[in-house]
Amino acid sequence: MRIESLQEGARLAIDQLRANKFRSVLTIIGIVIGVATVMAMSGMINGIRSSVMGAFEASGPNNFMVARFNFNSVRIVSDGSGPPWGDNPAITVQEARAIERLPSIRAAHVGLDLQEEFSFERQRVASVAISARDAGWTEFTQGSMIAGHDMLPSDVRAAARVVVLSAPLAETLFGTLDPIGRTVRIRSVPFQVIGVFEQEENVFASLQKNFAVMPFSSAIKHLDAWDGMLLVFAVPRSGVPQEQAIDEVITLLRSTRGVRPAEDNNFAIIRQEEMVETFNRITGIFFLVMLLLSSVALMVGGVGVIAIMMIAVTERTREIGIRKALGATKREILWQFLFEATTVTVIGGAIGMVLGGGLALLVAALTPIPASVPVSAIIAALGMATVAGVLFGLWPAWRAAGLDPVEALRYE
């Protein structure tokens, strides 16, 4: 196939689009929607993923959790038998302290979560997420203290009624007043505000703006928080491999709990990688649904391509006959119409890329999602448009190439 023939095919395709603008718009609209969907969704998924990966990386890739069960592998049970982890004993504070004394562990923070209503005078905020933690909880959270100070180990030991508020929660409760030293009521129990924490901007921060942090011992003692789901956030010492630290934790808990060699662990070790894998599985399903939806749009666009190319073949029957009479081969006619169909879909793909990229930029500007279109999505979009042009243009091109030159010249 000569370069001149390809250029001619592209020129003829563009001429067809110009001559039949309305029909052309209807033809490529499916391609535009399909490609724009791929671009925009890829940009958002890429942005969410980079934000999540950044949060995991900041919280320490070697850190891991010890929990009653692995919530990454939770299954729904409908036969009334209860969850398989139901017989597992809860993690205790004593076990957390024993983990912290292991040679490979630098810190082991206790944590549990609950929700309560906060009030200050007449101002009330419902369903505030409370992270009941040990001192040093900021090792697992991106952000900084913008007023006051963090809770101290002595606050945890004394189960002091102190609380650190997120910046949005402090603003909602106190407005322009200085929140430090003031008292908020949680389930009618007074807690003194000792600090205001501003979380680093990311997807999680935008989902949960109103949150508070207090000593876990305070939540258990004053708010009757259930410690059945208590977690331990373990931080290995610098230079200690994660596997070594995990092996020591498993050995400790199995021996103290009296687990026999043939029995499974009655607790769970949750690595950061597992949470990343779970997130990747969720986004993978989301991406698959997106591909199916965009495929439907491409199919609609493909039908339009077949229709416009069949009309083009009919309208240009005499032209095909003349070209064949002048020596054009069947292969050259086939490639000409295939190239025309591909040009139509690539133009639709280019418009879809611009629209999809614009949508991703809009999402990045208006939301906390740092949406950005990856190079792989651009290549995939161009590939989809090209393949759609070849597939859907094949039948009209084959029909044009198979025309008898004598019959074609007689066509009126």
Side-chain angles (χ1 to χ4, degrees), residues 62-209:
N62 279 336
N63 298 347
F64 59 92
M65 288 189 287
V66 184
R68 187 174 180 182
F69 67 97
N70 190 338
F71 45 76
N72 286 312
S73 56
V74 168
R75 291 174 299 169
I76 297 175
V77 180
S78 58
D79 58 0
S81 60
W85 51 267
D87 295 331
N88 288 358
I91 303 294
T92 65
V93 176
Q94 291 73 24
E95 287 176 329
R97 299 303 179 230
I99 290 172
E100 196 168 32
R101 289 193 292 271
L102 289 171
S104 62
I105 300 296
R106 180 171 64 81
H109 302 296
V110 174
L112 57 91
D113 300 305
L114 60 155
Q115 283 192 342
E116 295 291 349
E117 181 185 79
F118 279 47
S119 64
F120 172 70
E121 297 179 347
R122 294 184 178 180
Q123 191 68 32
R124 295 179 182 276
V125 180
S127 303
V128 174
I130 300 175
S131 298
R133 297 286 186 267
D134 253 326
W137 58 276
T138 49
E139 287 192 78
F140 286 85
T141 308
Q142 292 177 289
S144 58
M145 203 69 65
I146 59 173
H149 61 84
D150 194 5
M151 59 190 186
L152 304 172
S154 57
D155 294 326
V156 178
R157 287 194 298 272
R161 294 199 299 269
V162 295
V163 65
V164 174
L165 305 182
S166 67
L169 178 59
E171 185 178 351
T172 303
L173 284 172
F174 300 104
T176 57
L177 298 176
D178 182 4
I180 304 302
R182 296 186 186 276
T183 300
V184 293
R185 291 191 172 273
I186 309 169
R187 201 191 287 179
S188 300
V189 179
F191 276 76
Q192 184 185 24
V193 179
I194 59 171
V196 177
F197 184 78
E198 186 165 62
Q199 195 171 10
E200 193 169 298
E201 193 67 28
N202 58 44
V203 175
F204 300 125
S206 63
L207 293 175
Q208 188 65 63
K209 293 184 177 181

